[in-house]
Amino acid sequence: MRVFLIAGELSGDKLGAALMKGLVDLHGDVTFEGVGGPQMQALGLSSQFDMSELSVMGLVEILPKYRQLKRRITQTAKAILQSQPDVLITIDSPDFCLRVARKVKQESNIRTVHYVAPSVWAWRPGRAAKMAPYIDQVLALLPFEVPFMETVGMRCDFVGHPVVAEPVVSAAQVARFRAKHIFGDAPVLLVLPGSRRTEVTRLSPVFGDVLGKILTSNPTLKIVVPAAAPVVALVQDLAKNWPGSPLVLDPRDQSASDAEDSKRVAFKAANIALAASGTVSLELAAAATPMVIAYDMNWLSWQIMSRMAKIDTVTLVNLITDSRTIPEFLGPECQPDAIAAALNGLLKNADQRQRQVDAMATTMTALGSGNTAPGHRAAQAVIDGLVNT
């Protein structure tokens, strides 16, 4: 079986790697081509170009890179048509991936699978109908997404969220982490400013101000920053200006799997976290680490996206549990005073932390905890779709 995959984010690279492993385990004879990051490349994919070129967030932020992205869309579609794989699997990054899939479908009958259903329940509800003519199958991470896709004629399989398959961190691993960094019994705050240069640059001054305020009332607090590989140098540079002498965890001198293990241990070792909106909130939920979410973007992007939104929260724990347990400070509300107050309250209120932990446990169950690993479920759905086409 010949498979062409496209991933444009670190989270997509992780999904792609688990899917690739599942395909090899279930089918055996599989060759891979496409665009991916270090985890997918470690499993045999030779990337057409650096995946980080696709890591752009925000309507306005995309504009300066529009011509380059358009060239990459054309280049990628051409490579797929020349390769003639058995299946094209596009992973998240819908603004890039779905445009490639459309070009491919216009000129071929190659089966197209999109992994991670677009958030039509959150905004742009018409997108499902628009993608139906050129996407044959959708692999959904959330159980409530299936009807949105099937209603417009696409096959959709709920395969579970990969976060539920993460290894469980032991108390001994947490103890070793604290001992290594001489934290003792001091409380630990994780700071996660994102994995894209634009968001890290925008959030850094706000997060730095937050740290100054929260350290005033919690002087023993230890600050840990698990940096994403594509932006680690930027994070290191910006964190020099933050108070509290933050410990920046650099994944570049580790293998991808070791870096993931180190990050999981840091997540589990923390008492609370301040995080940019995104997949990281589910990783924190899997670790049962109470959190506050904060995010900002270009003013015009925020104005457009906030008017299109169909929901009043972006955190999946809140959505799945139909609660607003996780505090959010988005757009104009992404202000240091309010964020610091929420973190202080979370640090001092055990009942509030427990409410978050309970909601996180409910979320993990809903996302497939205890079932077959999502990567294997996704692989089986792809194979079944090919067999039963």
Side-chain angles (χ1 to χ4, degrees), residues 166-186:
E166 297 291 344
V168 177
V169 174
S170 69
Q173 288 175 291
V174 170
R176 286 195 295 270
F177 176 85
R178 282 182 164 271
K180 176 181 178 180
H181 300 294
I182 321 177
F183 285 167
D185 295 327

Side-chain angles (χ1 to χ4, degrees), residues 2 5 14 16 51 60 72 77 95 100 139 153 172 182 219 227 277 369 372 386:
R2 301 179 62 207
L5 304 102
K14 190 173 182 178
M51 182 187 74
V60 174
R72 290 302 193 193
D95 289 321
V100 172
L139 307 179
I182 321 177
S277 173
S369 179
T372 301
L386 283 167

Side-chain angles (χ1 to χ4, degrees), residues 203-273:
L203 291 173
S204 177
V206 177
F207 283 15
D209 286 350
V210 169
L211 294 181
K213 295 176 186 301
I214 194 171
L215 283 165
T216 300
S217 52
N218 302 276
T220 63
L221 191 66
K222 302 298 183 181
I223 312 299
V224 177
V225 187
V231 293
V232 64
L234 175 63
V235 170
Q236 287 174 329
D237 185 54
L238 294 172
K240 292 175 184 176
N241 300 317
W242 292 356
S245 301
L247 168 66
V248 179
L249 303 180
D250 187 344
R252 292 176 297 181
D253 58 353
Q254 299 175 291
S255 67
S257 60
D258 286 345
E260 283 293 310
D261 288 342
S262 297
K263 184 175 74 168
R264 276 191 292 270
V265 174
F267 278 33
K268 189 66 177 178
N271 297 84
I272 60 172

Side-chain angles (χ1 to χ4, degrees), residues 353-370:
R353 294 196 300 274
Q354 189 58 50
R355 284 194 295 273
Q356 285 203 15
V357 170
D358 291 344
M360 292 169 185
T362 299
T363 299
M364 293 301 108
T365 299
L367 294 181
S369 179

Side-chain angles (χ1 to χ4, degrees), residues 181-204:
H181 300 294
I182 321 177
F183 285 167
D185 295 327
V188 174
L189 168 64
L190 278 188
V191 180
L192 299 145
S195 60
R196 305 179 184 93
R197 295 187 65 85
T198 51
E199 63 191 2
V200 170
T201 302
R202 187 175 294 276
L203 291 173
S204 177

Side-chain angles (χ1 to χ4, degrees), residues 133-172:
Y134 52 89
I135 295 294
D136 298 307
Q137 182 179 8
V138 177
L139 307 179
L141 306 188
L142 308 175
F144 57 77
E145 293 175 322
V146 174
F148 288 95
M149 304 296 121
E150 291 183 337
T151 298
V152 295
M154 291 178 287
R155 169 174 171 163
C156 186
D157 298 84
F158 168 59
V159 298
H161 198 288
V163 74
V164 302
E166 297 291 344
V168 177
V169 174
S170 69

Side-chain angles (χ1 to χ4, degrees), residues 54-133:
L54 309 183
S55 299
V56 185
M57 181 68 173
L59 301 174
V60 174
E61 288 82 354
I62 288 174
L63 292 177
K65 296 188 175 183
Y66 176 74
R67 288 185 178 178
Q68 175 65 9
L69 288 171
K70 192 173 180 180
R71 283 194 293 270
R72 290 302 193 193
I73 289 168
T74 301
Q75 172 192 342
T76 306
K78 183 178 179 180
I80 296 164
L81 291 167
Q82 288 177 340
S83 175
Q84 289 293 305
D86 295 295
V87 61
L88 164 64
I89 304 175
T90 55
I91 306 171
D92 208 0
S93 303
D95 289 321
F96 182 88
C97 286
L98 295 182
R99 284 175 168 82
V100 172
R102 181 169 56 197
K103 281 181 171 291
V104 169
K105 209 64 170 177
Q106 286 171 345
E107 298 186 39
S108 75
N109 291 317
I110 295 170
R111 183 167 180 80
T112 53
V113 178
H114 189 64
Y115 194 178
V116 184
S119 302
V120 296
W121 40 270
W123 72 308
R124 297 174 68 179
R127 173 173 273 185
K130 289 181 180 178
M131 63 190 276

